[in-house]
Amino acid sequence: MRDLITESEIESSLIDQPGIIQKLVYFEETDSTNNEAKRQARNDDKHIPDGTLFITERQTGGRGRRGRNWDSPAGSGIWMSLLLRPAISPSSASMLTLIAAMAVTDVIDKVTGVTGCRIKWPNDIVLNKKKICGILTEMGAEADLIHYVVIGIGINVNTTEFDDDIRDKATSIYMETGKHVKRSEIVAAFSTAFLKYYEVFLKTQDLSGVMDSYNERLINAGREVRVISGDEEYTGVAEGISKTGELLVTKDDGSRVAICAGEVSVRGLYSYV
Ligand code: BTN
């Protein structure tokens, strides 16, 4: 199946689809949709509105968390960044990553008919214990004011092979289900699913309204994890998230800690999850 991401293809899939996406900015190729969104958001002349989606067929400099590259070839994935301008405290913005993770999980389950998609805290989406989607959230803010939040999402859709260094832990919708799913259909379903969770989030500006659903999808829940934070490293059992998105871990010595995302790495004891 030939599946092109074009502006008109996505526009038509969004028609009559109530959702978060209000405007589309499409590129055949760009360095990174997160970079593009941030560049345009900072350029006041462009008046980029809340709910703008930046999407491309190919990224030449796709970025992952912790300074990693994100391989983004043409034809195989969804490389997109949602720009929001929420009237919330900058300290709450990182929770939007978890909102996006829930939306993507719902969407992959819906379009594939599989109900096995899980979240590896805070924001990796895994299917059959392999990563199918990553999320990178960035923000422009000063003092108590958010100028923009950019939620960058990479979903491996029709990918058939990965580089050696990630082959054992990365996968795609096609590799796991044998189904070729139209990428524009996924984008449209994401628009609706994200809005549903976002509206719940905005009421309280925390995750209290969605944390039970998040915890149900959390692959780390009840499992032993290794937490690596700078020079510190320890093991414990992950319990679930708090209403502000920290991972609650009971350490081997019985004490309980709340871990913030950021530069912390949480892994299974013997594998990626
Ligand atoms: C991760 O798991 O490390 C996060 C990966 C995020 C990748 C997406 S693809 C669209 C957007 N543009 C980027 O450069 N990165 C994000």
Side-chain angles (χ1 to χ4, degrees), residues 31-35 59 61-66 68-70 72 78-81 123-124 131 133-136 151-155:
D31 55 348
S32 148
T33 51
N34 268 36
N35 293 355
Q59 294 186 127
R63 293 185 292 110
R65 288 177 73 218
R66 282 184 259 129
R68 297 201 183 105
N69 296 331
W70 183 264
S72 320
I78 295 173
W79 325 126
M80 64 181 182
S81 301
N123 52 359
D124 285 356
K131 178 164 170 174
C133 165
I135 303 173
L136 175 68
I151 306 170
I153 300 171
I155 308 175

